[in-house]
């Protein structure tokens, strides 16, 4: 049987962009934000200086040095055996991030082949059976099952069109146990 | 009515990689190959020094300085009004090409928005209504109509699964006249 195709987002799903925002914001301003302060708000608007935060996204090193989200390496390594897996990341808005994201994947997810990586502007043309993403704008166009990965900015969303997964343990349970790959 | 989605490849369709190979090969060896010599063969194998030609693909500047294929700018500008258009290029095998391809597009196709650009390893997850590509490996997985754009390496292919288009005038006739967008 053909493997089912699984599309996995990078930012806020594999890469801990929220921690990176908090760290860079503290280094720039001295102000230490808590994840609690960011709940239910778009990332930039949740910080007292939205322009500064948006500038981080264009700054070399921001994506390259982002920490890895707990559990993602182990679970994605397992999923990679059972699914036709693709990493799909919106990167075109920040051209400096193209090579940074690819290098980041090579460092932290060396078992992901370059043929499995897609860097795009919009994810509308991407099709598959499952998509794990933290943004409704990406999930809404997707033809398969939509898994909403919990991030501070999406904490308020409660909608049965999406299956919420709070962490990689929940993804493992859902995609490796519930969907037993017969 | 929703616009139909059109997926356009870069290398050998928008960017004249064959001319670039011939030029760089002449500069490196003094040997001037003719397009005639390359018909029906994979690009690298058509040259007397395959290793040298493959090295070009990893050399900074090769993709960035490629000439534009005649007619592509005018016709793609027209198509961009009538279709939900995406430029999809396999770039991951050559990471240095990521930023070069994006800059090349910005220079030669400034009317293409970053949201319309996808750089990938494999095109398997890409879906749409029409795909213009010079490689069967990309067209074969596509769910829509497959337009084979003529290149020296695909000159021998004669298969009714693909609609051959020899140049951008033919694309214009097919996609802007035959498929009158009602």
């Amino acid at each position: 049987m053909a493997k089912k195709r699984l599309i996995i987002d990078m930012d806020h799903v594999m890469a801990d962009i929220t921690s990176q925002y908090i760290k860079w914001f503290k280094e720039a301003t001295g102000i230490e934000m808590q994840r609690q302060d960011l709940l239910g708000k778009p990332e930039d608007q949740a910080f007292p200086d939205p322009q500064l935060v948006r500038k981080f996204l264009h700054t070399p090193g921001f994506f390259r040095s982002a920490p890895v989200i707990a559990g993602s390496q182990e679970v994605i390594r397992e999923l990679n055996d059972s699914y036709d897996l693709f990493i799909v990341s919106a990167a075109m808005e920040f051209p400096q991030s193209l090579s940074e994201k690819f290098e980041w994947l090579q460092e932290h997810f060396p078992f992901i082949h370059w043929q499995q990586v897609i860097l795009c502007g919009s994810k509308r043309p991407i099709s598959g059976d499952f998509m794990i993403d933290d943004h409704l704008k990406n999930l809404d166009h997707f033809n398969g099952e939509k898994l909403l990965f919990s991030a501070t900015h999406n904490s308020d969303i409660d909608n049965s069109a999406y299956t919420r997964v709070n962490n990689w343990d929940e993804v493992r349970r859902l995609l490796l146990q519930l969907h037993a790959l017969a």
Side-chain angles (χ1 to χ4, degrees), chain A:
Chain A
M1 205 180 73
K3 288 179 180 176
K4 298 217 171 185
R5 188 181 300 146
L6 170 59
I7 308 295
I8 303 178
D9 179 36
M10 282 179 71
D11 296 343
H12 298 286
V13 174
M14 302 168 69
D16 188 351
I17 299 298
T18 302
S19 293
Q20 187 77 329
Y21 274 130
I22 291 172
K23 179 172 177 242
W24 280 46
F25 193 76
K26 188 183 174 194
E27 283 169 8
T29 66
I31 301 168
E32 184 159 4
M33 300 288 287
Q34 305 297 321
R35 294 180 88 89
Q36 196 74 4
D37 307 327
L38 310 174
L39 293 177
K41 299 172 198 158
E43 295 104 358
D44 55 353
Q45 292 171 37
F47 285 83
D49 186 345
Q51 258 191 318
L52 175 67
V53 173
R54 275 196 290 273
K55 219 171 75 181
F56 293 161
L57 298 171
H58 294 275
T59 305
F62 183 78
F63 291 100
R64 182 65 186 88
S65 62
V68 178
I69 286 185
S72 59
Q73 287 158 310
E74 300 76 6
V75 178
I76 291 175
R77 188 194 295 271
E78 285 181 62
L79 291 167
N80 197 32
D81 293 331
S82 311
Y83 286 88
D84 181 28
L85 188 148
F86 287 87
I87 309 298
V88 181
S89 178
M92 289 299 151
E93 190 175 1
F94 316 108
Q96 94 289 350
S97 78
L98 292 167
S99 58
E100 293 193 17
K101 287 188 169 190
F102 190 64
E103 287 171 16
W104 187 92
L105 281 174
Q106 287 183 306
E107 178 184 347
H108 300 293
F109 295 81
F111 53 89
I112 299 287
H113 193 275
W114 57 259
Q115 290 189 331
Q116 297 175 275
V117 181
I118 298 180
L119 300 177
C120 60
S122 160
K123 299 187 186 180
R124 278 198 294 114
I126 305 295
S127 69
D129 298 293
F130 298 93
M131 176 181 270
I132 308 176
D133 209 291
D134 62 309
H135 278 295
L136 303 196
K137 68 179 177 199
N138 296 326
L139 295 168
D140 283 342
H141 291 284
F142 187 64
N143 62 325
E145 192 169 334
K146 309 163 201 287
L147 308 188
L148 179 65
F149 198 91
S150 287
T152 53
H153 67 81
N154 69 31
S155 64
D156 286 355
I157 292 160
D158 181 15
N159 183 323
S160 63
Y162 319 101
T163 302
R164 183 178 282 278
V165 283
N166 287 299
N167 53 55
W168 278 98
D169 260 356
E170 291 190 15
V171 175
R172 174 192 269 132
R173 269 203 296 280
L174 190 72
L175 292 183
L176 290 172
Q177 294 171 17
L178 293 187
H179 287 274
L181 302 152

